[in-house]
Amino acid sequence: MTLIDGTRSTRPAGGHPFVHRWDGLVPPPAKLVVRDVLLRLLAPAVALFLVILGIGEVIVGPLGSLQSESAINRALQDTRTTTWDAVTAVWSHIGNTEIV
């Protein structure tokens, strides 16, 4: 594999070249670093945000905020003991946005 400075790599053959593309002694050009940040960090983050936003819009819009789920939750809540209240409080906290 040829490095950025034009010399040949001394690392053993094999492995994915994308992983070892910055193995040379010469730092990569800023343009390539910015491209990597955009492709590896921002693009997946934006895609994930759009998926989460889309799921939220479907739940609030066409599914009508899942009213039937609320009725089931209330019915189950009426049958819980104090022990199960504590257990569900912990798991509910784990599912909060700041934890996820």
Side-chain angles (χ1 to χ4, degrees), residues 25-56:
L25 299 175
V26 178
K31 182 178 178 180
L32 292 179
V33 172
V34 170
R35 179 182 170 273
D36 269 5
V37 168
L38 289 174
L39 289 177
R40 292 173 164 229
L41 178 70
L42 295 180
V46 168
L48 178 62
F49 174 75
L50 291 175
V51 167
I52 292 171
L53 185 67
I55 291 171

Side-chain angles (χ1 to χ4, degrees), residues 68-81:
S68 60
E69 181 186 12
S70 296
I72 292 170
N73 289 342
R74 273 188 239 97
L76 291 173
Q77 183 179 5
D78 292 339
T79 63
R80 281 199 313 238
T81 64

